[in-house]
Amino acid sequence: MKKLLALCAVALIGVVGAFAFDFPSVFSGTWVDETYDADWTFKTNNTIVLSYHSTGEVIFTFDESNMKNVRTSLDTGSSIGDQSVVLQFRCDETHRNYKFVCPAQPKPPLEIEFAPDWTKSLYRSKFPWVKAGAN
């Protein structure tokens, strides 16, 4: 099953070059950042909605208008899974580079790395899965 998911992820990554960008299906869903009371919802329309976990209020919406240098790749040596899909991009509005690593397995944790412009310190964490894909 893992090999099938990995092959699907590789196929999706290959399709990315033909379009502006397209999130691999493993990123469809919501993960919670309990440290900051935040939900990260990856939608099927290639947007990421950052909202407060406790209230649902939207904090920021990432989409093709503010996501730059979007890259996806396959990582075979991730600390959270044998084969993982990596999504990276830059957002000038938030002054950060983002990296999300998601293993090709059901209900995976999401490993993240945010690099703010104003510090050399990275914010690294693993977000638990909350719910399945959203539109």
Side-chain angles (χ1 to χ4, degrees):
M1 183 67 172
K2 281 186 177 183
K3 287 183 181 181
L4 177 63
L5 288 172
L7 287 173
C8 290
V10 170
L12 285 170
I13 290 167
V15 172
V16 171
F19 302 99
F21 65 88
D22 193 18
F23 295 163
S25 62
V26 296
F27 286 104
S28 181
T30 300
W31 287 264
V32 63
D33 179 352
E34 295 168 343
T35 302
Y36 290 99
D37 182 38
D39 279 347
W40 289 85
T41 301
F42 291 75
K43 298 190 172 203
T44 57
N45 65 353
N46 294 331
T47 61
I48 303 171
V49 177
L50 175 61
S51 59
Y52 288 109
H53 181 72
S54 57
T55 65
E57 178 186 349
V58 173
I59 301 166
F60 193 82
T61 300
F62 298 90
D63 59 28
E64 64 183 58
S65 71
N66 56 33
M67 294 170 68
K68 308 294 182 221
N69 303 320
V70 177
R71 296 183 314 256
T72 57
S73 60
L74 188 61
D75 181 1
T76 56
S78 168
S79 64
I80 57 174
D82 291 336
Q83 295 180 330
S84 300
V85 179
V86 180
L87 171 67
Q88 295 177 290
F89 62 89
R90 165 83 186 156
C91 180
D92 290 335
E93 290 180 48
T94 61
H95 307 285
R96 290 174 178 82
N97 293 310
Y98 295 87
K99 179 179 179 182
F100 300 92
V101 181
C102 188
Q105 62 181 335
K107 301 179 186 176
L110 185 67
E111 186 175 278
I112 61 89
E113 181 178 293
F114 302 154
D117 291 348
W118 59 90
T119 180
K120 292 185 184 212
S121 298
L122 297 175
Y123 175 59
R124 290 186 175 128
S125 188
K126 291 182 185 174
F127 299 162
W129 182 84
V130 177
K131 62 184 177 183
N135 294 325

